[in-house]
Amino acid sequence: MSTFLHRVAHWAFRRRRTVVLVWVAVLAAVFLGAANSSEAPEDSASLPGIESQQAFDLLDERFPGTEADGAQARVVFVAADGQQVTSTANRSAVDTLVDEVADGPQVAGATSPFDAHAVSEDASTAYATITYRTTADDLTEASKEALTEAVEHARDAGLTVEVGGSALETEPAQGIGEVLGILVAAAVLLITFGSLAAAGLPLLTAVLGVGISLATITALGSALGFSSTVGELAMMLGLAVGIDYSLFVVSRYREERAKGHQAQEAAALAVGTAGSAVVFAGLTVVIALLGLSVVGVPTLTKMGIGSAGTVLVGVLIALTAVPALLGFWPDAVLPRRDREDPRRTRSRRPGRFGRNRTWTWNWNRQGATPAGTARTPWGVRWARFVTRRPVAVLLLTVVGLGALAVPSLNLRMGMPGAESKPTTTTERRAYDALADGFGPGFNGPLTVVVDVKGADDPAAAVTGVSDRLADIEGIVSVSPPHFNEAKDTAVVSAVPSTGPAGERTQDLVRTIRDERPAIESATGAEFQVTGTTALNIDVGRKMQDALVPYLAVVVGLAFLLLMVVFRSILVPVKAALGFLLSVGAALGAIVTVFQEGHGAGVFGVEETGPIMSTMPIFLVGIVFGLAMDYQVFLVSRIREAHIHGEQPGQAVVTGFRHSAQVVGAAALIMMAVFGGFMTGGESMVKMVGFGLASAVFFDAFVVRMAFVPAVLALLGKRAWWLPGRLDRLLPRVDVEGEALTRRAPAPDDASGDDDRRESVTA
């Protein structure tokens, strides 16, 4: 592997103009394809294999001309203090709104609260239901404006009017996530490298990779069903891994230049060693993302495929475009004072005591210090501290992360709805008004689809089902049935006594389904429970059931890959255990903030509730891949030092000397990219950004910097043990570049001079 990548980098360096032109041509081609492609589809709500989806499909079949997920607006009217909505003036304003909206071209029906008995007991609150023949995404601006104007007219009459439902759903406030992440990444890179060019090169290549990936996703959106959500996740991951992979290569290039290698050979050695780590780190990310197909949710599968493609583009750019750009500016990425000759030494005039002082260069501090007085890099000092006290550090790490993970045992999964929106939105105010006027469960009714196709008396069968449902503890009311034209299917709405995100509501849905065989036997009708509340419960259960198989597939494949990379059994085991610690701690932090509300105000979370159903899957998949980046880059340097003859403890210190600063900078960049998404107004986006940023922090700064060196120090040479038969079966990939070390030319040989002259004349 290292030898092949070494040749690739040599070619890219020599043919730098060709390489850059090829990437520019690829960018132009995919942008042209994106510009001429049809509009990307909306996110599909299809979730095969769950009861709620089956009920939706039955509704579409038995109620032709209407969509189960058609747009709906629930207009809530609240009378002023001391008044009632049933007063003559208020009633007239409500009826006027209903009449205005009913004439809309896409409106299927507009039901007055006075006809549907949708008035609270104290007559302070009422609601009108507006249904549309199409989905919210297909509503025209004319339909939306008609509803908005009617609402304003009712408000002018003195009523407080708010609109819930999907018809006028408020777009979340856009944050400055991408911009903030890039700015912080630029600052971290500048501090790390001390060079504008060195800081700018990873940013440039990351933006190139994201541009190519997003344009490709857009171009293929119609053919493969890639929605805008696929592009959003791809952009977030593309920025993070694109910067990191280029950072690893540029850092190794500077290191090889410090050893005296000329530009072309240094670039080739950097790609042959750090580039090998990038390849296998990228493969672990791809495995984790493609593993999302195990969950069985088409949307997640497409998100995984699109993001995996983005990661592959980032890897290819790091292996080809980075050495090509280094060929154009071979010295620009070096610190300013060291661009002439990285190995130079200079003699000073005799000092006051008559001695010549020779100055050398301490590359870990990017500056000149007198020989013998250079400060030890912080990574080395920390590694020595850990290797001297491995037991204490290991226990403290495991206990600390374990304590942070404890709240995750109380994890409740669901899909946050209007209750999680800011109070500045009309949906949230409508939600609160309905809860105050009709009870908390009114915002999460259960839709029961009754199939009476085989019943002798369909009307009596539906009535029997409704009566049985009304007798179940936890149901406040059951609406009159609504039949289709064929009179073989009816829909009833059951209102629970608790809110849609409540744990008792989940128990209620389970109870209804448990009692279904007895109800169906007594009435002769079959029924299914659906609606937004039941759908969220089913999705959460599906995600929970899929988590263990997903973990098994992803961790199992990554274990095999890491075993090939490190020629060890214990190192992959240690990597998997460390990852589980970091993910557990991150999940615990999410539950603490977003479910239990501790510190919620600090992160702008206005309402707590269940954790988004897809969050654990996302966290496991994305963070596992990213965590392996640090694992491969850090441990490969440790193994490289061990292969070259160093004792296990010293190999850990050497590995940290060369990689701790880079891993720390890469982690800060990823945290900045993910944390930047918390600046948006959507609670779910904040949750994703917080979860990924915290997981990267725990994995990079706790697991990789403390847990890993402590375990390696305790294991010693046993860490690199591999049974002989297995050693013969596994392919050798040489990530550490041992073959390059044996064949690398001396720093001052003639070929290096030729490379130097070529790079200068370019």
Side-chain angles (χ1 to χ4, degrees):
M1 173 65 74
S2 60
T3 305
F4 170 75
L5 294 180
H6 182 272
R7 292 198 299 267
V8 169
H10 259 297
W11 175 84
F13 192 99
R14 290 195 308 271
R15 302 285 185 255
R16 45 192 171 272
R17 293 182 181 85
T18 302
V19 171
V20 171
L21 286 175
V22 167
W23 280 113
V24 171
V26 170
L27 181 63
V30 294
F31 261 95
L32 183 62
N36 295 322
S37 65
S38 56
E39 187 176 355
E42 297 296 329
D43 290 325
S44 172
S46 176
L47 295 168
I50 62 176
E51 179 176 328
S52 298
Q53 183 63 51
Q54 295 169 358
F56 275 129
D57 295 339
L58 182 62
L59 284 175
D60 287 336
E61 176 188 344
R62 301 288 177 86
F63 289 82
T66 61
E67 297 191 43
D69 57 347
Q72 185 184 72
R74 181 173 283 175
V75 185
V76 185
F77 307 92
V78 181
D81 292 340
Q83 297 184 19
Q84 295 180 328
V85 292
T86 53
S87 67
T88 303
N90 289 335
R91 182 172 186 137
S92 175
V94 172
D95 287 338
T96 300
L97 181 145
V98 173
D99 292 339
E100 287 184 25
V101 176
D103 295 332
Q106 293 180 301
V107 175
T111 306
S112 170
F114 309 112
D115 297 334
H117 306 289
V119 181
S120 64
E121 291 184 5
D122 60 1
S124 65
T125 309
Y127 68 91
T129 302
I130 315 298
T131 55
Y132 293 86
R133 297 189 183 93
T134 185
T135 63
D137 297 321
D138 294 329
L139 277 184
T140 63
E141 289 300 321
S143 296
K144 295 180 181 179
E145 289 176 3
L147 177 57
T148 302
E149 290 177 2
V151 168
E152 290 300 329
H153 293 161
R155 287 172 177 168
D156 293 339
L159 286 169
T160 297
V161 186
E162 305 296 346
V163 184
S166 59
L168 293 182
E169 188 170 6
T170 306
E171 290 294 329
Q174 296 297 316
I176 55 173
E178 300 88 340
V179 177
L180 180 62
I182 291 177
L183 290 177
V184 174
V188 171
L189 289 169
L190 187 59
I191 294 172
T192 302
F193 286 137
S195 165
L196 284 174
L201 195 149
L203 290 174
L204 175 63
T205 53
V207 171
L208 172 65
V210 168
I212 291 174
S213 301
L214 289 181
T216 303
I217 290 172
T218 302
L220 299 177
S222 179
L224 300 182
F226 288 155
S227 66
S228 58
T229 306
V230 176
E232 292 172 3
L233 180 61
M235 178 174 60
M236 184 166 59
L237 283 178
L239 281 175
V241 302
I243 293 174
D244 281 4
Y245 293 163
S246 297
L247 169 65
F248 294 158
V249 174
V250 172
S251 175
R252 188 62 183 252
Y253 171 80
R254 286 158 58 99
E255 183 182 328
E256 296 300 335
R257 289 295 301 272
K259 294 177 181 178
H261 291 290
Q262 300 299 333
Q264 182 170 331
E265 182 61 23
L269 289 173
V271 173
T273 52
S276 298
V278 165
V279 169
F280 285 96
L283 285 177
T284 58
V285 180
V286 169
I287 287 173
L289 292 171
L290 294 181
L292 289 172
S293 59
V294 176
V295 180
V297 178
T299 300
L300 287 181
T301 300
K302 294 172 185 176
M303 293 173 70
I305 293 173
S307 300
T310 302
V311 172
L312 288 177
V313 171
V315 171
L316 291 175
I317 286 178
L319 300 180
T320 57
V322 170
L325 292 174
L326 289 174
F328 284 106
W329 302 283
D331 295 335
V333 298
L334 304 179
R336 179 178 300 175
R337 68 181 68 181
D338 306 322
R339 291 174 188 169
E340 295 181 4
D341 184 358
R343 300 188 63 201
R344 67 183 180 185
T345 59
R346 56 181 178 181
S347 298
R348 305 285 302 274
R349 288 180 299 177
R352 60 183 299 182
F353 298 106
R355 294 184 302 219
N356 289 334
R357 296 179 65 194
T358 301
W359 287 67
T360 59
W361 301 92
N362 177 8
W363 284 93
N364 288 287
R365 295 197 50 84
Q366 306 296 347
T369 53
T373 64
R375 291 182 57 188
T376 305
W378 67 267
V380 172
R381 296 197 301 271
W382 173 250
R384 289 172 179 168
F385 172 83
V386 174
T387 53
R388 285 196 298 265
R389 303 169 182 83
V391 176
V393 172
L394 182 61
L395 289 177
L396 185 62
T397 301
V398 173
V399 171
L401 292 178
L404 290 172
V406 168
S408 65
L409 299 176
N410 300 321
L411 173 68
R412 289 190 297 110
M413 291 197 295
M415 293 299 290
E419 76 279 2
S420 65
K421 291 181 177 292
T423 54
T424 54
T425 63
T426 186
E427 299 101 308
R428 171 61 185 278
R429 294 194 296 268
Y431 180 96
D432 292 341
L434 287 171
D436 292 340
F438 297 90
F442 194 80
N443 284 295
L446 304 175
T447 301
V448 181
V449 184
V450 186
D451 185 357
V452 290
K453 202 168 189 177
D456 296 332
D457 187 348
V462 173
T463 301
V465 171
S466 298
D467 293 341
R468 293 292 188 110
L469 291 175
D471 292 337
I472 296 177
E473 183 180 357
I475 291 183
V476 175
S477 63
V478 178
S479 70
H482 172 59
F483 279 89
N484 64 345
E485 291 184 5
K487 302 299 181 182
D488 60 0
T489 308
V491 177
V492 297
S493 179
V495 178
S497 60
T498 52
E503 194 169 356
R504 291 173 58 189
T505 305
Q506 297 183 22
D507 296 336
L508 175 62
V509 173
R510 190 178 301 113
T511 299
I512 293 174
R513 289 170 173 169
D514 290 342
E515 296 188 12
R516 175 166 44 200
I519 297 175
E520 291 181 342
S521 176
T523 61
E526 299 178 354
F527 70 89
Q528 294 174 316
V529 183
T530 186
T532 302
T533 299
L535 177 64
N536 291 340
I537 293 172
D538 290 346
V539 171
R541 187 174 294 119
K542 183 179 180 67
M543 295 298 168
Q544 194 168 3
D545 294 341
L547 186 58
V548 173
Y550 176 64
L551 265 175
V553 171
V554 171
V555 174
L557 291 175
F559 179 88
L560 294 176
L561 185 63
L562 293 177
M563 190 164 58
V564 171
V565 172
F566 296 120
R567 318 293 301 176
S568 166
I569 292 180
L570 296 180
V571 169
V573 170
K574 178 253 323 159
L577 293 177
F579 160 73
L580 293 177
L581 283 173
S582 60
V583 167
L587 269 179
I590 293 172
V591 171
T592 299
V593 174
F594 289 87
Q595 181 175 305
E596 299 177 354
H598 302 299
V602 177
F603 300 100
V605 180
E606 298 187 14
E607 188 73 21
T608 59
I611 303 304
M612 185 174 62
S613 299
T614 54
M615 188 66 216
I617 293 287
F618 270 128
L619 199 68
V620 169
I622 296 174
V623 175
F624 182 84
L626 299 181
M628 293 305 104
D629 284 358
Y630 310 131
Q631 167 73 15
V632 171
F633 191 74
L634 178 62
V635 179
S636 64
R637 294 307 300 265
I638 296 174
R639 175 172 167 78
E640 181 179 343
H642 177 69
I643 287 178
H644 293 164
E646 294 187 9
Q647 293 299 312
Q650 183 57 39
V652 171
V653 174
T654 300
F656 268 68
R657 179 190 300 275
H658 294 299
S659 57
Q661 184 181 15
V662 178
V663 169
L668 288 175
I669 290 169
M670 281 199 178
M671 290 173 60
V673 172
F674 294 144
F677 284 82
M678 295 186 64
T679 61
E682 183 67 40
S683 176
M684 289 188 291
V685 176
K686 289 183 179 181
M687 189 183 299
V688 171
F690 175 85
L692 294 178
S694 58
V696 169
F697 172 79
F698 292 136
D699 194 272
F701 293 106
V702 181
V703 171
R704 305 304 155 192
M705 295 295 180
F707 177 83
V708 167
V711 171
L712 291 178
L714 288 173
L715 291 176
K717 294 183 178 180
R718 294 186 299 274
W720 312 109
W721 171 78
L722 186 68
R725 179 175 299 179
L726 194 58
D727 183 51
R728 291 189 294 272
L729 290 175
L730 293 178
R732 296 187 177 274
V733 294
D734 189 21
V735 175
E736 300 80 13
E738 185 179 5
L740 298 180
T741 303
R742 293 193 298 266
R743 58 172 286 182
D748 294 323
D749 71 355
S751 63
D753 292 337
D754 292 340
D755 294 341
R756 176 71 174 174
R757 285 192 294 271
E758 179 185 359
S759 65
V760 171
T761 58

